[in-house]
Amino acid sequence: MQSKIVGLPPAFSLFPSLNKTFTFHQILVLIITFVAYASFHASRKPPSIVKSVLGPSVNEESNSPIDNGWAPFNGTEGAQRLGELDLAFLSSYALGMYFAGHLGDRIDLRLFLVFGMMGSGILTVVFGLGYWMNVHLLGFYMTVQIVCGLFQSIGWPCVVSVVGNWSGKEKRGLIMGVWNSHTSVGNIVGSVVASSVLDSGWGWSFALPGGLVIVSGLVVFMCLVVSPHDLGFKEPGKEIEMSLATETLVVEEDKEADDVGLLENVNLDDDDDSLSAIGFLEAWKLPGVAPFAFCLFFSKLVAYTFLYWLPYYLRHQAVAGVYISHKTAGILSTVFDIGGVFGGISAGFISDKIKARALTSIAFLSLSIPVLIMYRVYGSVSMFINIGLMFISGLLVNGPYALITTAVAADLGTQDSIKGNGRALATVTAIIDGTGSVGAALGPLLAGYISSRGWNSVFFMLIVSIFFAGLFLVRLAKAEIKEMSSSGELIASSGP
């Protein structure tokens, strides 16, 4: 039954018929937040698409540098300047993420999200104006990217908190794996849109995705309901038990239980304690937060290196002896993101089935190492092999990244040790993704500098990063295996 309705967005006043069942609103929230964050990612894609236009290009026949690109990104140091531009955006994004999560637990998430979307859209358009205004000042582009990164950092803690409010724990990995495909879908949309208008001038590659974010922000303002409480519903799935192997602060009689946190019987009361926000340092001390945060640091370093440099790499590497165009390279890079869609969904599904987030992540990370080696060695043999290995690489690289930023963050933000404090979710999400975003900032920067030594060095950096990402989850994975073994023995002992 519904009770008092408060704090509803304008669409519910204009169209009272929208006030329907809980399931309807749950689906509506998933769709709106999906579109919102997909538009965020679409607006991040243009810098990678225009890299091959801004920086020096190559002669397809002689493999020698031609034209000067767009100052100040032309010349022999063009790749380094482009890497520094990525660093400007991603470092401010990472810094802003910590503050955004802290604020998101304390203010209206809908308005905060709209604020971030409007700022992001406007600044993306402003970057594109540099083309028509013939701006060649590095400081202009750096400043725009830094401020845009701060606005972009608002998005993730907000959408994860809203979805966490509306979703129970049952099949959380699968549901959030499907929902988190907004990252790859946004990358695909951004790549296709930015590439399709690139021949008309690179400014359009920023203007159109920027406009998309602004329009999506208006939809969020009009329609997004932050919490079931706003419509008089109770929050879902609080009676469902779910276990997550992690470090725990609770001392059990069995010493091995020190490595396992049981996320069960989470009941969010309506009293003041459950609605109070958690402190930043206190959130860092929660079981499992630090290992997954540092794992994501290296995972996002790899994922964002592909996000920002894959079109450039494809443009400057001959496939079957042929160099492809700027437009074709941008569109072809979407294969990696398509693989990422399947990776996020499959990682979520598998982790739900075996109830082991860390073990699933390590499996994906381990398999990605030989695949990346094969892509570097054999990707230039033929277009078919390049596309196939690029798809598999995207699946394996983005699987753990998607799992950790969604299901794992939601698990850790609603665990027993915080006594049902649902408002901790935005802070925990911001810590995990914020730490990952530091790695995301370093990856593209390092790629810009290391690529001057050859792409073998870049791939070596990616493989080492994947190794360290898995290393941080080894202890949690071992605890999950022990927990699975104990559960199996318990079931066997209770059998006929």
Coordinates of all heavy atoms in Angstrom, one line a residue, residues 149-189:
G149 N 35.4 17.4 -15.6 CA 35.7 16.2 -14.8 C 35.0 16.3 -13.5 O 34.5 15.3 -12.9
L150 N 35.0 17.5 -12.9 CA 34.3 17.7 -11.6 C 32.8 17.5 -11.7 O 32.2 16.8 -10.9 CB 34.6 19.1 -11.0 CG 36.1 19.3 -10.6 CD1 36.2 20.8 -10.2 CD2 36.5 18.4 -9.5
F151 N 32.2 18.0 -12.8 CA 30.8 17.8 -13.0 C 30.5 16.3 -13.3 O 29.5 15.8 -12.8 CB 30.3 18.7 -14.1 CG 30.0 20.1 -13.7 CD1 30.9 21.1 -14.0 CD2 28.8 20.4 -13.0 CE1 30.6 22.4 -13.7 CE2 28.6 21.7 -12.7 CZ 29.4 22.7 -13.0
Q152 N 31.3 15.7 -14.1 CA 31.1 14.3 -14.4 C 31.2 13.4 -13.2 O 30.5 12.3 -13.1 CB 32.1 13.8 -15.4 CG 31.9 14.3 -16.8 CD 31.2 13.3 -17.7 OE1 31.2 12.1 -17.4 NE2 30.7 13.8 -18.9
S153 N 32.0 13.7 -12.2 CA 32.1 12.9 -11.0 C 30.9 12.8 -10.2 O 30.7 11.9 -9.3 CB 33.3 13.5 -10.1 OG 32.9 14.7 -9.5
I154 N 29.9 13.7 -10.4 CA 28.7 13.7 -9.7 C 27.8 12.5 -10.1 O 27.0 11.9 -9.3 CB 27.9 15.0 -9.9 CG1 28.7 16.2 -9.3 CG2 26.5 14.9 -9.3 CD1 28.1 17.5 -9.6
G155 N 27.9 12.1 -11.3 CA 27.0 11.1 -11.9 C 27.0 9.7 -11.2 O 25.9 9.3 -10.8
W156 N 28.1 9.1 -11.1 CA 28.2 7.7 -10.7 C 27.6 7.5 -9.2 O 26.8 6.6 -9.1 CB 29.6 7.1 -10.8 CG 29.6 5.7 -10.6 CD1 30.3 5.0 -9.6 CD2 28.9 4.6 -11.3 NE1 30.1 3.7 -9.7 CE2 29.3 3.4 -10.7 CE3 28.1 4.7 -12.4 CZ2 28.8 2.2 -11.2 CZ3 27.6 3.5 -12.9 CH2 27.9 2.2 -12.3
P157 N 28.1 8.2 -8.2 CA 27.5 8.0 -6.9 C 26.0 8.2 -6.8 O 25.3 7.4 -6.1 CB 28.3 9.0 -6.0 CG 29.5 9.3 -6.8 CD 29.1 9.2 -8.2
C158 N 25.5 9.1 -7.6 CA 24.1 9.4 -7.6 C 23.3 8.2 -8.2 O 22.3 7.7 -7.6 CB 23.8 10.7 -8.4 SG 24.3 12.2 -7.5
V159 N 23.7 7.8 -9.4 CA 22.9 6.7 -10.1 C 22.9 5.4 -9.3 O 21.9 4.7 -9.2 CB 23.3 6.5 -11.5 CG1 23.0 7.8 -12.3 CG2 24.7 6.2 -11.7
V160 N 24.1 5.1 -8.8 CA 24.2 3.8 -8.0 C 23.4 3.9 -6.7 O 22.8 2.9 -6.4 CB 25.7 3.5 -7.7 CG1 25.8 2.3 -6.7 CG2 26.5 3.2 -9.0
S161 N 23.4 5.0 -6.1 CA 22.6 5.1 -4.9 C 21.1 5.0 -5.2 O 20.4 4.3 -4.4 CB 22.9 6.5 -4.2 OG 24.2 6.6 -3.7
V162 N 20.7 5.6 -6.2 CA 19.2 5.5 -6.6 C 18.9 4.1 -6.9 O 17.8 3.6 -6.5 CB 18.9 6.5 -7.8 CG1 17.5 6.3 -8.3 CG2 19.1 7.9 -7.4
V163 N 19.6 3.5 -7.8 CA 19.4 2.1 -8.1 C 19.4 1.2 -6.9 O 18.6 0.2 -6.7 CB 20.3 1.6 -9.2 CG1 20.2 0.1 -9.5 CG2 20.1 2.3 -10.5
G164 N 20.4 1.4 -6.0 CA 20.5 0.6 -4.8 C 19.2 0.8 -3.9 O 18.8 -0.1 -3.2
N165 N 18.6 2.0 -3.9 CA 17.4 2.2 -3.2 C 16.2 1.4 -3.7 O 15.3 1.0 -2.9 CB 17.0 3.7 -3.2 CG 17.9 4.6 -2.4 OD1 18.6 4.1 -1.5 ND2 18.0 5.8 -2.8
W166 N 16.2 1.1 -5.0 CA 15.1 0.5 -5.6 C 15.3 -1.0 -5.9 O 14.3 -1.7 -6.3 CB 14.8 1.2 -7.0 CG 14.1 2.5 -6.8 CD1 14.6 3.7 -6.7 CD2 12.7 2.7 -6.8 NE1 13.6 4.7 -6.6 CE2 12.4 4.0 -6.6 CE3 11.6 1.8 -6.8 CZ2 11.1 4.6 -6.6 CZ3 10.3 2.3 -6.7 CH2 10.1 3.7 -6.6
S167 N 16.5 -1.5 -5.7 CA 16.7 -3.0 -6.0 C 17.1 -3.7 -4.7 O 17.8 -3.3 -3.9 CB 17.8 -3.1 -7.0 OG 19.0 -2.6 -6.5
G168 N 16.5 -5.0 -4.6 CA 16.9 -5.9 -3.6 C 18.2 -6.6 -3.9 O 18.8 -6.3 -4.9
K169 N 18.6 -7.5 -3.0 CA 19.9 -8.2 -3.2 C 19.8 -9.4 -4.1 O 20.8 -9.9 -4.6 CB 20.5 -8.5 -1.8 CG 20.9 -7.3 -1.0 CD 21.7 -7.8 0.2 CE 22.3 -6.6 0.9 NZ 23.1 -7.0 2.1
E170 N 18.6 -9.9 -4.2 CA 18.4 -11.1 -5.0 C 18.8 -10.9 -6.5 O 18.3 -9.9 -7.1 CB 17.0 -11.7 -5.0 CG 16.8 -13.0 -5.6 CD 15.4 -13.5 -5.5 OE1 14.5 -12.8 -5.1 OE2 15.2 -14.7 -5.7
K171 N 19.7 -11.6 -7.0 CA 20.2 -11.5 -8.4 C 20.7 -10.1 -8.7 O 20.7 -9.6 -9.8 CB 19.1 -11.8 -9.4 CG 18.6 -13.3 -9.3 CD 17.5 -13.5 -10.4 CE 17.1 -15.0 -10.3 NZ 16.0 -15.3 -11.3
R172 N 21.3 -9.5 -7.6 CA 21.8 -8.2 -7.8 C 23.0 -8.1 -8.8 O 23.1 -7.2 -9.6 CB 22.4 -7.6 -6.4 CG 23.1 -6.3 -6.5 CD 23.5 -5.8 -5.2 NE 22.4 -5.1 -4.5 CZ 22.5 -4.8 -3.2 NH1 23.6 -5.1 -2.5 NH2 21.5 -4.2 -2.6
G173 N 23.8 -9.1 -8.8 CA 24.9 -9.1 -9.8 C 24.4 -9.2 -11.2 O 24.9 -8.4 -12.1
L174 N 23.4 -10.0 -11.5 CA 22.9 -10.1 -12.9 C 22.2 -8.8 -13.3 O 22.4 -8.2 -14.3 CB 22.0 -11.3 -13.0 CG 21.2 -11.4 -14.4 CD1 22.3 -11.5 -15.5 CD2 20.3 -12.6 -14.3
I175 N 21.3 -8.3 -12.4 CA 20.6 -7.1 -12.7 C 21.5 -5.9 -12.9 O 21.3 -5.1 -13.8 CB 19.6 -6.8 -11.5 CG1 18.5 -7.9 -11.5 CG2 18.9 -5.4 -11.7 CD1 17.6 -7.7 -10.3
M176 N 22.5 -5.7 -12.0 CA 23.4 -4.6 -12.1 C 24.4 -4.8 -13.3 O 24.9 -3.9 -13.8 CB 24.1 -4.3 -10.8 CG 23.2 -3.7 -9.8 SD 24.1 -2.9 -8.5 CE 22.9 -1.7 -7.9
G177 N 24.6 -6.1 -13.6 CA 25.5 -6.4 -14.8 C 24.8 -5.9 -16.1 O 25.4 -5.3 -16.9
V178 N 23.5 -6.2 -16.2 CA 22.7 -5.7 -17.3 C 22.6 -4.2 -17.3 O 22.8 -3.5 -18.3 CB 21.3 -6.3 -17.3 CG1 20.4 -5.7 -18.4 CG2 21.4 -7.8 -17.5
W179 N 22.3 -3.6 -16.1 CA 22.1 -2.2 -16.0 C 23.4 -1.5 -16.3 O 23.4 -0.4 -16.9 CB 21.6 -1.9 -14.6 CG 21.5 -0.4 -14.3 CD1 20.6 0.5 -14.7 CD2 22.4 0.4 -13.5 NE1 20.8 1.7 -14.2 CE2 21.9 1.7 -13.5 CE3 23.6 0.1 -12.7 CZ2 22.6 2.7 -12.7 CZ3 24.2 1.1 -12.0 CH2 23.7 2.4 -12.0
N180 N 24.5 -2.0 -15.8 CA 25.8 -1.4 -16.0 C 26.3 -1.4 -17.4 O 27.3 -0.8 -17.7 CB 26.9 -2.0 -15.1 CG 28.2 -1.2 -15.0 OD1 28.1 -0.1 -14.6 ND2 29.3 -1.8 -15.5
S181 N 25.6 -2.1 -18.3 CA 26.0 -2.0 -19.7 C 25.8 -0.6 -20.3 O 26.2 -0.3 -21.4 CB 25.1 -3.0 -20.5 OG 23.8 -2.7 -20.5
H182 N 25.2 0.3 -19.5 CA 25.1 1.7 -19.9 C 26.5 2.3 -20.2 O 26.6 3.1 -21.1 CB 24.4 2.5 -18.8 CG 24.9 2.5 -17.5 ND1 26.3 2.6 -17.2 CD2 24.3 2.3 -16.3 CE1 26.5 2.5 -15.9 NE2 25.3 2.3 -15.3
T183 N 27.5 1.8 -19.5 CA 28.8 2.3 -19.7 C 29.3 2.0 -21.1 O 29.7 2.9 -21.9 CB 29.8 1.6 -18.7 OG1 29.5 2.0 -17.4 CG2 31.3 2.1 -19.0
S184 N 29.1 0.7 -21.6 CA 29.5 0.3 -22.9 C 28.6 0.9 -23.9 O 29.0 1.3 -25.0 CB 29.6 -1.2 -23.0 OG 30.6 -1.7 -22.1
V185 N 27.3 0.9 -23.6 CA 26.3 1.5 -24.6 C 26.6 3.0 -24.8 O 26.6 3.4 -25.9 CB 24.9 1.3 -24.1 CG1 23.9 2.1 -24.9 CG2 24.5 -0.2 -24.1
G186 N 26.9 3.7 -23.7 CA 27.2 5.1 -23.9 C 28.5 5.3 -24.7 O 28.6 6.2 -25.5
N187 N 29.5 4.4 -24.5 CA 30.7 4.5 -25.3 C 30.4 4.2 -26.7 O 31.0 4.9 -27.6 CB 31.8 3.5 -24.8 CG 32.3 3.8 -23.4 OD1 32.2 5.0 -23.0 ND2 32.8 2.8 -22.7
I188 N 29.6 3.3 -27.0 CA 29.2 2.9 -28.4 C 28.5 4.1 -29.0 O 28.8 4.5 -30.2 CB 28.4 1.7 -28.4 CG1 29.2 0.5 -28.0 CG2 27.8 1.5 -29.9 CD1 28.3 -0.8 -27.8
V189 N 27.5 4.7 -28.3 CA 26.8 5.8 -28.9 C 27.7 7.0 -29.1 O 27.6 7.6 -30.2 CB 25.6 6.2 -27.9 CG1 25.0 7.5 -28.4 CG2 24.6 5.1 -27.9

